[in-house]
Amino acid sequence: MKKFLFLFILSAGLLFTSCGSDDKKDPPVNTTQGKWEPTTIQLVKVVPLYTLDYPHTQSCPKDYLEFKANNNAVFFRHETANCTITEYENAFQQNGNKVSLNVLGYQINGTITAQTDTAMEIQSDISAYIPLIKAQFPEYEQYLSVLEGGTVKLSFIKK
């Protein structure tokens, strides 16, 4: 049951990203147009606690985030045994290295902490997931205090 909670929290990191304040001045990140595939999700609380492969639906094409010319993006999620595609329009907007997501009515902010031409990492504060977990999975509310102060690092590769 705990593994399912962590899997949900970490996979939700793609859609629900936030971050704490950061005093260093990062150069603006220019996310180029194209498709970015999520690869790993890492839960960190002082030190990395858990890293797992992004949970793509088995036997389906891999999920991906497609960046558009206007710094917006659409997330394509393959679900169910039929590989049904759910598109999340305006799921990701970028301003420099800051990102803003609005998915399922939750507005969450995050930071791109690393990026090359072929790889990207987005860091978020785990606290942004609390309202989502309480609404979607109230049975896991008792485990949320363990996650306080943690962050999620979501890694992507460019397809």
Side-chain angles (χ1 to χ4, degrees), residues 49-92:
L49 297 176
Y50 193 69
T51 302
L52 69 138
D53 292 335
Y54 176 86
H56 297 283
T57 304
Q58 288 185 350
S59 303
C60 292
K62 293 186 177 183
D63 301 341
Y64 62 93
L65 184 64
E66 184 173 3
F67 286 92
K68 307 293 183 175
N70 58 1
N71 284 338
N72 286 328
V74 177
F75 181 65
F76 296 86
R77 171 92 175 129
H78 296 85
E79 301 172 305
T80 71
N82 296 332
C83 300
T84 304
I85 298 175
T86 302
E87 293 183 27
Y88 295 91
E89 295 286 335
N90 297 314
F92 185 105

Side-chain angles (χ1 to χ4, degrees), residues 91-144:
F92 185 105
Q93 296 180 357
Q94 181 178 347
N95 183 6
N97 66 337
K98 302 295 182 190
V99 293
S100 176
L101 294 93
N102 185 351
V103 180
L104 299 176
Y106 294 90
Q107 183 67 37
I108 304 182
N109 299 311
T111 301
I112 298 174
T113 56
Q115 184 178 17
T116 66
D117 291 340
T118 59
M120 175 173 53
E121 182 179 273
I122 298 173
Q123 184 170 325
S124 61
D125 187 287
I126 196 69
S127 66
Y129 300 86
I130 304 292
L132 173 68
I133 295 167
K134 285 181 178 181
Q136 299 291 320
F137 301 96
E139 65 273 21
Y140 295 116
E141 189 169 349
Q142 62 186 342
Y143 301 109
L144 296 177

